Amino acid sequence: MPDDRSEQRTHGLTSTEENFGTGRSRRVIRSDEIFGDQTSALIAHGDELYTLRVTKQGKLVLNK
């Protein structure tokens, strides 16, 4: 069975691209690569700024 994963190293972070049977690959980014030792991160999308944070229960919440 062929491996549908390919690792890329960018700016010191390892990301993975996976093909989930759709014929298209999607980039997988580990949350610890985004947060480091923090519990929130800012994400710029177009002209908007969003906050991605980890809850006490370990879930992710995205707010505008």
Side-chain angles (χ1 to χ4, degrees):
M1 182 168 151
D3 188 358
D4 289 337
R5 296 177 181 202
S6 65
E7 288 193 357
Q8 298 177 339
R9 192 134 182 101
T10 308
H11 302 291
L13 302 179
T14 301
S15 64
T16 304
E17 290 198 13
E18 295 191 20
N19 180 338
F20 293 96
T22 62
R24 298 183 347 211
S25 64
R26 291 189 280 175
R27 186 171 172 203
V28 177
I29 304 169
R30 295 177 44 89
S31 62
D32 59 347
E33 294 175 349
I34 295 171
F35 295 109
D37 62 351
Q38 304 292 311
T39 57
S40 67
L42 294 176
I43 299 173
H45 180 67
D47 293 336
E48 303 292 334
L49 196 58
Y50 295 81
T51 301
L52 181 64
R53 67 180 178 87
V54 180
T55 67
K56 292 179 183 178
Q57 294 80 27
K59 299 184 183 216
L60 297 177
V61 177
L62 181 66
N63 292 101
K64 190 170 182 182

